[in-house]
Amino acid sequence: MKFFDCTRSALRSPFNDDVVYQFEYMEYILDYGFDRLGATSEVGHPILMTECECNPSFSRARMAELLFETYGVPSIAFGIDNAFSYKYNQKLGNCGEDGLAISCEHGTCHVIPFLKGQPVLGACCRTNVGGFHVTDFLRQLLTLKYPYHTANFTWEKAEELKKEHCYVALDYLSELQIFKNNKEEAEEKTRYWQLPWVPPPKEEPPSEEELARKAALKEKAGQRLREMAAAKRSQKIVELEKQLSYLEELSEQLDEAEESEASAILGRSGYLSQQEIKSAVSKATQSLRKAKGESNGNEEKADASTADKYPLVSVPDEELTPEQLKEKKKQILLKTTTEGKLRAKQKRAEEEALREKQEEQKRAENPELYLEELRARYSELSEKFEQRKRQKVNGGQTNGNHGSSGGVGRGERLNAAQKERMRLLASAAFDRGKGEDTFGMRDEDWLVYNKMSKDNDDDGNDDDESELVRIASKLQEIDPTFVSKSEAVQLTPEPPKIRPLTAEDYRIAIGIERFRCPEVLFQPGMIGIDQAGIDEMVSISLRRLMEDESVKQRLCQSILVTGGSSLFPGMIPRLESGIRQYRPYLSPLKLVKAADPILDAWRGAAAFGASSKFGKQTFSLADYREHGENLFHRYNIVYSL
């Protein structure tokens, strides 16, 4: 990486389907190789460069230009890596002069026929699937299977898992059935990869010392709060005592003073009458008793009397000022309203007691009929209540004055009480605009507030809602299986509980992926490549040979399998089974794996470079400068090994 400038370009492969097309990156690779060999300035030595079958002449020309112009190489020769591997294994006795070479490489797979020791390039076959696609397919499958561990599935790790665990199935469909039926054999064939996992710390119960310490802190905090509350209560008691003392002194002054002096005293104090001062004294006394925690007696003594709440009601009009007269009218209205509410409340309580008594009698006489009546009443009120809610949201359509879109005006959504309130407001505003504002001069004017009270806003909606709640409680008491509509709406599914992660969650199971990924060498359509598999490529290559059947049988008796992808367990039996499907019945067939599928091409090239034939296959820098790129097009180099 010391030759690579990461700030200028990204790291990429110089190969595309085993053909060099990124010569900028190829230069980095050559720099590294020559540097390790000790050639730091110029390479004064002939070079033998391996390439794939039928390498395009433009790629060979660019490579020659790079070696001649950049490194000053004196001469260059090119050769096929599969041919070197075949010739090396031929010397070892693994294959004969006539045979086939099946090369499963990184980005491609090739099949080359050999006749009398020479490659027949016109009959070779190629498919753009190799070990790279197997690794990439494995990484994609594991990423889809374990999306939360995507960062762990690097290219290097996927390559390592492929080499350690993948194999070629003899019968792909039968192997799939084993994993589909969840047999014990499937579990035996599954491999596991344990990712780094740190168990979460166990929550140990607190010790007695910790509990004692927390209890002491809690008690200390509680004591501090109690002290603050006591100080605040003491301050309030002092303020109430001062207020009560002031009110008592003020009341004594009014008792001893004359009428003219009493009016001046009241004006300075801010109170309207002596009765109001007595009411304030009563309230202050009750507040002081409450602050001190003393008992206030029964409820009648605890509540302020009506006379204390409305002191001006019992005072004659002649003794009051104009401001006090207005205040008296307000107090009369409030007193009337309060007493009316109390009477209505008492009346409702009596009616409720009578209704409860009658319902208990019905329930005792015929429980089933009583239950049916309750359900019918509940359904009626529920529908009525829902209809009112829909009317508020969507608007009523009782008067027919709605457009084609279904929209209605605000006036159509108002109930009777709201319409009455709007009428009263309009009337008050209309009367006020005629002349002098005389609203409030008569007692009847204040009744408008009573009519416009919010208690009458819903026009019986509150009564219906309370009745609905009462009937629902009755039904729940009688029928345990009953669920009200409000409760049914509020019922929401509980959120799933978060399970703590265990070592199992960090264990990657590699089962069907072990044989599914190498299957792309035989079925490239699994990854979207519409080309032939390596077993079918043998049949295609034999058909391209213009020879009789006896020659083809002789070739099939010496098939050499080389390349890194040939190291998958089960590759030779699967290839033999696949090739037999394209050969005549009982036709002879023999497949042999190379002695070293990865390095045999280099060993064969090294043996050829050391032989006397190497000098005859090279062309020099002078030839290149004389003919240029036409040299590669004219000669179309054929390798005589």
Side-chain angles (χ1 to χ4, degrees):
M1 292 300 294
K2 69 179 182 179
F3 300 102
F4 186 77
D5 186 2
C6 297
T7 62
R8 298 184 61 182
S9 60
L11 184 62
R12 297 176 60 185
S13 171
F15 298 95
N16 183 13
D17 294 333
D18 291 342
V19 176
V20 180
Y21 77 107
Q22 291 283 355
F23 289 92
E24 178 184 356
Y25 302 103
M26 192 65 197
E27 185 176 352
Y28 292 128
I29 296 175
L30 294 176
D31 286 343
Y32 174 78
F34 290 139
D35 180 72
R36 294 297 298 269
L37 292 173
T40 56
S41 57
E42 287 190 358
V43 181
H45 198 283
I47 296 295
L48 173 60
M49 184 68 65
T50 61
E51 60 184 16
C52 63
E53 294 84 337
C54 302
N55 190 41
S57 57
F58 81 88
S59 177
R60 190 181 299 120
R62 297 283 83 75
M63 181 63 69
E65 179 183 359
L66 176 64
L67 292 173
F68 282 135
E69 302 293 344
T70 305
Y71 300 102
V73 175
S75 60
I76 305 173
F78 290 92
I80 301 176
D81 48 3
N82 298 340
F84 289 136
S85 179
Y86 188 87
K87 296 297 291 186
Y88 180 76
N89 280 273
Q90 183 181 348
K91 293 180 180 180
L92 297 179
N94 294 332
C95 52
E97 287 189 352
D98 297 338
L100 291 172
I102 301 177
S103 176
C104 304
E105 302 170 2
H106 179 69
T108 57
C109 291
H110 295 88
V111 175
I112 307 177
F114 284 85
L115 290 176
K116 297 180 182 181
Q118 297 300 321
V120 183
L121 299 182
C124 70
C125 188
R126 165 197 178 100
T127 184
N128 294 327
V129 177
F132 166 82
H133 302 86
V134 177
T135 305
D136 188 61
F137 193 38
L138 176 62
R139 189 176 62 87
Q140 291 181 16
L141 291 180
L142 293 179
T143 302
L144 292 174
K145 189 176 181 180
Y146 300 97
Y148 299 106
H149 300 302
T150 304
N152 296 289
F153 302 129
T154 60
W155 176 265
E156 292 77 10
K157 191 61 185 180
E159 183 76 14
E160 180 182 346
L161 293 175
K162 178 190 75 172
K163 294 179 180 179
E164 291 181 0
H165 303 300
C166 287
Y167 66 94
V168 176
L170 182 61
D171 189 348
Y172 180 68
L173 295 179
S174 300
E175 202 79 7
L176 284 177
Q177 290 296 325
I178 293 176
F179 283 84
K180 180 180 179 181
N181 299 330
N182 295 326
K183 296 182 179 179
E184 296 181 358
E185 188 177 355
E187 183 63 27
E188 294 176 359
K189 292 186 176 183
T190 303
R191 300 293 181 266
Y192 296 96
W193 170 36
Q194 183 64 51
L195 294 176
W197 173 73
V198 179
K202 296 182 179 179
E203 295 183 0
E204 299 181 357
S207 61
E208 296 182 357
E209 297 179 356
E210 183 69 16
L211 292 175
R213 187 181 67 83
K214 290 183 178 180
L217 292 176
K218 187 176 180 180
E219 178 63 25
K220 186 177 180 181
Q223 181 64 27
R224 185 166 61 252
L225 291 175
R226 286 192 293 271
E227 291 176 356
M228 293 172 61
K232 189 175 181 180
R233 186 169 56 251
S234 301
Q235 183 180 0
K236 186 176 181 181
I237 290 173
V238 172
E239 293 177 355
L240 288 173
E241 287 178 347
K242 291 181 179 179
Q243 182 182 3
L244 185 60
S245 176
Y246 168 74
L247 291 174
E248 289 177 350
E249 292 178 359
L250 186 61
S251 180
E252 291 177 359
Q253 291 178 7
L254 290 173
D255 291 339
E256 297 175 356
E258 296 180 357
E259 184 176 354
S260 58
E261 295 179 357
S263 300
I265 293 173
L266 287 173
R268 290 194 300 270
S269 63
Y271 291 96
L272 299 176
S273 64
Q274 190 174 3
Q275 190 71 21
E276 188 176 355
I277 295 175
K278 292 181 180 180
S279 176
V281 170
S282 177
K283 291 181 180 179
T285 303
Q286 292 178 7
S287 300
L288 184 60
R289 289 178 179 176
K290 185 177 180 181
K292 291 182 178 180
E294 299 177 356
S295 177
N296 293 336
N298 53 23
E299 295 180 359
E300 294 181 358
K301 293 182 180 180
D303 295 336
S305 62
T306 306
D308 294 337
K309 289 183 179 179
Y310 313 107
L312 299 179
V313 173
S314 58
V315 179
D317 295 347
E318 294 80 8
E319 300 179 2
L320 299 176
T321 62
E323 291 79 6
Q324 291 176 341
L325 284 173
K326 288 185 179 181
E327 184 66 24
K328 179 181 178 181
K329 290 179 181 180
K330 293 181 182 180
Q331 292 182 4
I332 291 173
L333 177 61
L334 294 175
K335 179 182 178 183
T336 305
T337 304
T338 304
E339 291 176 352
K341 287 183 179 180
L342 291 175
R343 287 194 298 269
K345 184 177 180 180
Q346 184 177 2
K347 184 178 180 181
R348 284 197 299 268
E350 293 175 356
E351 292 176 353
E352 184 71 21
L354 180 61
R355 182 171 56 184
E356 289 288 340
K357 185 177 180 181
Q358 292 176 355
E359 289 186 355
E360 288 296 330
Q361 291 178 358
K362 290 182 180 180
R363 181 177 178 182
E365 292 175 359
N366 193 343
E368 296 180 357
L369 179 61
Y370 175 71
L371 181 59
E372 291 296 331
E373 290 178 354
L374 280 181
R375 287 175 176 171
R377 179 63 176 162
Y378 180 79
S379 300
E380 180 184 355
L381 289 176
S382 298
E383 182 62 27
K384 186 177 179 181
F385 194 68
E386 291 294 330
Q387 186 176 2
R388 285 174 177 169
K389 287 173 63 177
R390 290 194 299 268
Q391 193 175 22
K392 287 182 179 180
V393 176
N394 301 325
Q397 298 182 2
T398 57
N399 55 2
N401 295 330
H402 57 278
S404 59
S405 62
V408 294
R410 181 174 180 272
E412 294 178 353
R413 297 196 298 267
L414 300 177
N415 54 26
Q418 292 170 333
K419 290 180 180 179
E420 179 64 16
R421 183 188 302 165
M422 294 294 294
R423 188 189 65 80
L424 292 172
L425 287 173
S427 300
F430 183 75
D431 294 341
R432 182 176 180 180
K434 288 183 178 180
E436 185 180 358
D437 185 8
T438 59
F439 182 80
M441 298 297 294
R442 298 176 299 170
D443 294 342
E444 292 80 4
D445 294 342
W446 298 98
L447 296 177
V448 174
Y449 291 108
N450 190 24
K451 293 179 182 180
M452 295 168 58
S453 175
K454 290 184 179 180
D455 296 335
N456 300 325
D457 181 30
D458 293 335
D459 193 19
N461 287 1
D462 293 342
D463 295 339
D464 290 343
E465 188 173 0
S466 60
E467 179 69 10
L468 188 65
V469 173
R470 188 187 70 83
I471 294 177
S473 63
K474 286 284 185 182
L475 286 171
Q476 289 176 349
E477 180 182 351
I478 299 173
D479 186 6
T481 61
F482 172 78
V483 179
S484 63
K485 293 185 178 181
S486 59
E487 293 178 354
V489 172
Q490 293 176 359
L491 289 177
T492 56
E494 295 183 358
K497 296 182 179 179
I498 300 176
R499 179 180 60 85
L501 297 177
T502 62
E504 291 291 332
D505 299 319
Y506 286 82
R507 191 171 70 163
I508 308 301
I510 307 173
I512 194 173
E513 297 84 6
R514 295 184 62 197
F515 64 91
R516 186 180 180 186
C517 296
E519 187 65 21
V520 301
L521 298 175
F522 299 88
Q523 302 183 48
M526 294 175 61
I527 56 175
I529 298 178
D530 187 15
Q531 296 183 15
I534 54 178
D535 50 357
E536 187 180 355
M537 287 166 55
V538 174
S539 175
I540 297 173
S541 181
L542 291 176
R543 286 200 305 268
R544 291 176 178 175
L545 277 174
M546 301 301 179
E547 303 290 341
D548 56 9
E549 185 62 29
S550 61
V551 175
K552 296 180 181 179
Q553 289 184 2
R554 191 168 63 251
L555 294 178
C556 291
Q557 294 179 20
S558 177
I559 300 179
L560 179 70
V561 184
T562 184
S565 296
S566 65
L567 294 174
F568 285 119
M571 172 63 82
I572 301 299
R574 174 62 185 276
L575 269 175
E576 183 176 355
S577 174
I579 295 173
R580 285 192 183 278
Q581 298 179 9
Y582 300 99
R583 297 296 300 151
Y585 180 65
L586 296 180
S587 176
L589 185 65
K590 181 181 179 181
L591 280 81
V592 179
K593 184 186 295 185
D596 190 342
I598 298 177
L599 294 179
D600 280 353
W602 183 88
R603 292 191 176 99
F608 176 71
S611 66
S612 59
K613 296 181 180 180
F614 174 68
K616 300 177 181 180
Q617 295 288 338
T618 61
F619 53 92
S620 63
L621 178 61
D623 296 334
Y624 171 75
R625 289 178 176 175
E626 180 180 355
H627 300 284
E629 295 184 5
N630 294 329
L631 177 69
F632 307 102
H633 295 287
R634 183 188 308 172
Y635 291 104
N636 193 16
I637 299 174
V638 179
Y639 312 100
S640 173
L641 304 181

